[in-house]
Amino acid sequence: MILALEYHRSPARYLATRTATGTKLGGRMAGLIAGNMAPLRLTNKAEPRRPGDDWTRLKPLLSGICGSDLGLLNGRNSPYLTPMISMPFTPGHEIVAETMDELPGLPKGSRVVMDPVLSCGPRGVEPCMWCATGRQSRCDHVTGGSVSAGLQTGFCADTGGGWSRQLVAHASQLHRVPDELSNERAVLVEPIACAVHSVRRVHVPAGASVLLIGAGTVGLFTLLALREFTQAGPIYVVAKHGHQRARAKELGATEVFEPKRAPRALRRATGGSLQHPEIGDEFLLGGADIAFECTGGAAGLSTALRLVRAGGTVVVSGMPNSGVDLTPLWYRELNLVGAYASDHGGPGALGDDVPNAAEEKVRADGRGGDFAEAISLAAGAPLDGYVDAVYPLSRWRDAIGHAFAAGRLGTVKVAFDPGQQ
Amino acid sequence: MSRPGFVLEVDERTPPLLIHQGEGFRLEGLPLGSKVIYPPDSLPGIRDVNAAIRHALLHPHGMEPLPELLKPGMKLTIAFDDISIPLPQMQTPDIRQRILEHVLELAARKGVDDVELVAANALHRRMTPSELKRAVGERVFRAFFPEHLRNHDAEDKANLVNLGKTDHGEDVELNKRAVESDLLIYVNINLTAMSGGPKSVSVGLASYNSLRHHHNSHTLKHSRSFNDPPNSAMHHSYNRMADLLGGHVKVFTIETTMNNEPFPSAMSFLNKREWEWNLKDQASYLAVKRGNDMLPPKMRRKLWQSSYAPYGVTGINAGAPSQVHPLTLQKVHQQQRVEVNGQSDVGIFGVPFICPYNVNSIMNPILVTSMGLGYQFNMYLNQPIVRKGGVGIFYHPMPNEFHPVHHPSYIDFFEEVLAETTDPAQLEAKYEKQFATDEWYIHLYRNSYAYHGVHPFYMWYWAAHAMDHLGDVIFVGADRRTAGRLGFRTASTLGDALEMAKHTVGSSPEISYLHMPPLTLADVR
Ligand SMILES: [Zn+2]
Ligand SMILES: [Zn+2]
């Protein structure tokens, strides 16, 4: 038996939380409410079983709490994803762990990070057209094969998840962590890989102006990836909290705006005119070339759509949680681009001959897959202090509460140390 | 004969004194020995204003009588001061209306057809049709609006003309129609000694390109009182421009002066010295104060903005600008000047609800600064009422509030520029040009009702001399965060402010309170 946090959705609770956190006060108290109402429980349960020989058991060293986890806990995630989830499951997909079984080329006891996507490879099925070309995050088979439905580890009943003392992972999901990389940095690799992926989803021309909405984990890492992989010109960041401002500056933001000021400030920076609709938020005729929505909120997406220039591009990096007015998309002829998880390939540049394999493939542009790049970024970037709140599983209510209020509390990433008592 | 100005020394018998603070006022007990500077009593207004206008037009100074200057077939442009003057707006009929009606009647009789009226709004916001109507009167408005009654447009390249440079290299670029007219008549209202004269045309009808030569941080910092034109670098520049202009167009100016009655009779206690308040004044103080304090802010603003001044006209002079203006200044000084013996360590100023740039609008924090540290601080001749390095104490609640239509660039100036620096020369060097050439601001200035993008910079430069002169600036009753952004300290009471001022001026400073409005011009010896 192992100690694990288990998500057992009850529709009534799901809706109740959603209503409670939908108000202004509820939003501010989301941590408290989620802590008390979340369909989560700490249990002793059977260890997850290895579905095959190319799987290993993992002992998590640190497991991060992601925005998508929080969305799940306060009932704000879209029911759209329910077919790709199997119940009951243990959340946790940002993991640095130690392997407990021998695998070819990966001795037992190796320190690894995990690509959580449960694509054709782990599922032991014939690769779909996406997996065949190294684009696992688009896999069409996330409900089939040898493990239960689940878009990722952390949403799948059979694999277990990071918020526990033990889970299982397929060899193709694992990437060895260099000895020099601390656990605190390694646990950031998965979200960094997602950021690398999102930046690779669009062509960012040299000198292009970029707007980042949000300066939490997703926003900051997107900024990091933009400065690493593109020749973007000015990058403007919309940040709510003071510490985010300082961190964004450190990672190369040109200017950081408070949300309330963003339309005016961006207009000053990029030209154009500010428009005030009779109802609803201000928007620009003019604005940034490309925007990345990194908050996972409807307000953030709406801001992005309103502040990119005509013909510009909005990349949705945060998991969106509700609808927005798409009129600007239509009227300004915008491109709306989704960016989910990470892969081995890239933005449509790879041929069909790239196999699906555990080892990193080199992309057509000569760079590594998203995870490989993320590992080197995690080692080199100024990320000290990004994980400054680590909780044992037993204090999960505090951990979740802290994660909900992370921005306000000056924290970037909250994590569990499942081994801790 | 009205009583002259007066300096009161506060003693045990002195009642608490009225201090303006935005859309409100308070009674404040000043420390014993404080000097309180009161303007002369309001001068009597001219009884028959129409007769005075007629007389001025027929007996001008240094020019032929107006009827002799008007010829059939001529091109005539009549410019007039915009909504920034007088403050508050005067009860109708506005003096501009009366003068325009006389001038237009003369022109019609002389067979002049080609007449254009222009509001000389420089980089101020355009006047709305109803504001124009209020200034020029119903009849003139109906006859001329919209084709022949317009706002000046300092960004309308096609309708500006460059007359070259002064011997100091200053571009003189002005309203083309005005410059190319056979006669330019300027109808002025002179509320303070700083306006009128050469300023009327060379500011009111100029382009940004031309204005930047005198409206900059250097000139303004080195203008020792704008209200003492011979000592103002800014006015020297106006003069050079006016001289150059004189070679191109004949200017017939009509200048008027007002007495000191800015408040309607219901608030007449605001025009009186406190110890002379009778029972009725005391009752109406209490009633107005209580009513005012209870009103929701929006209503309160509306009420103040619609209180129109029962100004009496004290002088009307017409003719050549250089000969008319000294007469005007004389009248202004007669109404406002009061001799003060020496400077103090601390100067107190109550910033009222209105300044030239928030008529029918909001007095945002930058305008509060320009009113307090720009206009009021500069209401002196010879030297400021506060010594160099002394402390300025200002009263205003200074809410973080801006009129989005009238002052769009002010918002960005506050949020972006002042967040980085409050130093006039620094922000001028880094940001002025950006703001001045921002196409959106230009668009809003030309087509909406926005002040020009560069205007907040000018407001800040107005305050440059005071910022340089004062060792400390404390706002009583102001919003702390807002004042902090502007670089000013705040105190909740005068006692606290004086406590804070101790570091700069010691524990028993000499204090002078410039009691205004009504306007008071301290002649500090
Ligand atoms: Zn995640
Ligand atoms: Zn697949």
Side-chain angles (χ1 to χ4, degrees), chain A residues 261 264 267-268 272-274, chain B residues 416 434-435 438 440-441:
Chain A
R261 255 197 75 212
R264 281 185 175 277
R267 191 210 68 80
R268 276 273 304 133
S273 65
L274 183 71
Chain B
E416 183 181 346
Q434 279 181 33
F435 274 66
D438 187 307
W440 183 56
Y441 299 149

Side-chain angles (χ1 to χ4, degrees), chain B residues 149-375:
Chain B
L149 167 57
R150 300 169 195 265
N151 289 286
H152 167 64
D153 183 346
E155 289 287 352
D156 183 3
K157 302 281 186 277
N159 289 305
L160 291 166
V161 59
N162 196 315
L163 300 180
K165 289 181 192 295
T166 67
D167 54 3
H168 280 59
E170 299 144 325
D171 297 272
V172 181
E173 194 173 49
L174 298 168
N175 185 294
K176 191 169 170 184
R177 162 75 200 197
V179 171
E180 291 177 353
S181 293
D182 299 303
L183 182 65
L184 171 59
I185 297 178
Y186 197 101
V187 180
N188 149 285
I189 300 172
N190 230 106
L191 211 57
T192 59
M194 62 175 287
S195 47
K199 183 186 180 189
S200 295
V201 175
S202 51
V203 171
L205 296 177
S207 70
Y208 164 66
N209 187 30
S210 200
L211 285 163
R212 69 194 167 93
H213 294 292
H214 34 72
H215 282 58
N216 57 57
S217 69
H218 180 83
T219 304
L220 285 160
K221 191 165 143 185
H222 292 90
S223 292
R224 292 288 165 263
S225 185
F226 313 114
N227 289 299
D228 193 3
N231 285 318
S232 157
M234 183 174 220
H235 286 81
H236 299 160
S237 181
Y238 296 161
N239 286 331
R240 290 190 292 272
M241 292 190 170
D243 287 348
L244 183 79
L245 172 74
H248 286 82
V249 61
K250 188 179 268 188
V251 182
F252 184 91
T253 198
I254 304 157
E255 295 199 336
T256 64
T257 47
M258 302 292 133
N259 68 5
N260 248 350
E261 261 171 67
F263 298 107
S265 58
M267 298 203 276
S268 61
F269 62 90
L270 292 171
N271 291 342
K272 287 189 177 176
R273 298 172 187 176
E274 291 83 346
W275 61 91
E276 291 172 351
W277 285 8
N278 55 30
L279 278 176
K280 185 172 151 268
D281 291 324
Q282 291 181 5
S284 60
Y285 167 83
L286 284 174
V288 173
K289 167 117 179 107
R290 187 171 313 145
N292 189 63
D293 289 351
M294 271 166 43
L295 281 177
K298 270 200 178 140
M299 290 278 296
R300 192 184 307 147
R301 171 162 311 135
K302 209 168 156 198
L303 214 70
W304 282 94
Q305 287 287 352
S306 53
S307 102
Y308 298 113
Y311 279 127
V313 178
T314 58
I316 302 171
N317 288 291
S322 58
Q323 298 205 24
V324 171
H325 198 52
L327 301 170
T328 303
L329 282 183
Q330 215 176 8
K331 269 287 182 225
V332 170
H333 286 173
Q334 188 190 341
Q335 176 62 86
Q336 298 173 1
R337 200 179 73 89
V338 50
E339 270 185 43
V340 178
N341 209 346
Q343 294 179 304
S344 297
D345 303 307
V346 173
I348 296 178
F349 307 86
V351 182
F353 77 101
I354 192 105
C355 80
Y357 315 105
N358 74 312
V359 176
N360 300 327
S361 187
I362 294 173
M363 187 140 149
N364 65 53
I366 292 144
L367 292 177
V368 172
T369 306
S370 115
M371 185 60 189
L373 281 79
Y375 286 83

Side-chain angles (χ1 to χ4, degrees), chain B residues 116-131:
Chain B
E116 294 278 333
L117 306 186
V118 190
N121 47 275
L123 302 181
H124 305 166
R125 70 175 174 84
R126 301 186 309 136
M127 291 170 75
T128 64
S130 68
E131 288 167 346

Side-chain angles (χ1 to χ4, degrees), chain B residues 217 221 418 420-429 460-461 467:
Chain B
S217 69
K221 191 165 143 185
L418 291 181
E420 188 180 315
T421 178
T422 56
D423 180 81
Q426 269 185 38
L427 55 84
E428 175 181 40
W460 205 249
Y461 305 157
M467 289 185 203

Side-chain angles (χ1 to χ4, degrees), chain A residues 137-322:
Chain A
S137 60
R138 295 186 179 182
C139 180
D140 289 333
H141 292 162
V142 289
T143 56
S146 56
V147 291
S148 59
L151 64 166
Q152 298 188 347
T153 303
F155 300 91
C156 170
D158 287 355
T159 58
W163 299 359
S164 71
R165 295 251 163 100
Q166 193 176 310
L167 70 155
V168 295
H170 188 259
S172 67
Q173 293 181 278
L174 301 177
H175 302 258
R176 278 187 86 152
V177 177
D179 289 343
E180 324 75 79
L181 196 63
S182 66
N183 289 340
E184 283 73 21
R185 280 178 178 248
V187 76
L188 300 174
V189 167
E190 194 274 344
I192 293 175
C194 297
V196 170
H197 182 70
S198 73
V199 166
R200 287 171 160 177
R201 285 284 293 126
V202 285
H203 173 61
V204 180
S209 58
V210 179
L211 175 67
L212 288 182
I213 315 285
T217 318
V218 180
L220 290 170
F221 292 165
T222 304
L223 174 58
L224 176 67
L226 278 165
R227 284 299 182 216
E228 182 72 18
F229 295 110
T230 75
Q231 302 294 310
I235 302 180
Y236 307 105
V237 177
V238 179
K240 242 190 203 164
H241 307 286
H243 71 103
Q244 297 176 333
R245 160 182 301 267
R247 288 188 158 114
K249 284 271 184 191
E250 188 182 25
L251 293 178
T254 309
E255 281 191 65
V256 185
F257 310 137
E258 293 160 39
K260 204 173 57 163
R261 255 197 75 212
R264 281 185 175 277
L266 189 72
R267 191 210 68 80
R268 276 273 304 133
T270 62
S273 65
L274 183 71
Q275 304 296 328
H276 310 263
E278 278 178 16
I279 295 174
D281 295 331
E282 298 165 326
F283 63 92
L284 296 183
L285 297 179
D289 296 321
I290 303 172
F292 285 80
E293 200 301 298
C294 303
T295 68
L301 182 53
S302 175
T303 303
L305 290 166
R306 285 162 190 259
L307 301 186
V308 286
R309 63 162 170 81
T313 298
V314 173
V315 181
V316 181
S317 292
M319 182 193 284
N321 64 15
S322 61

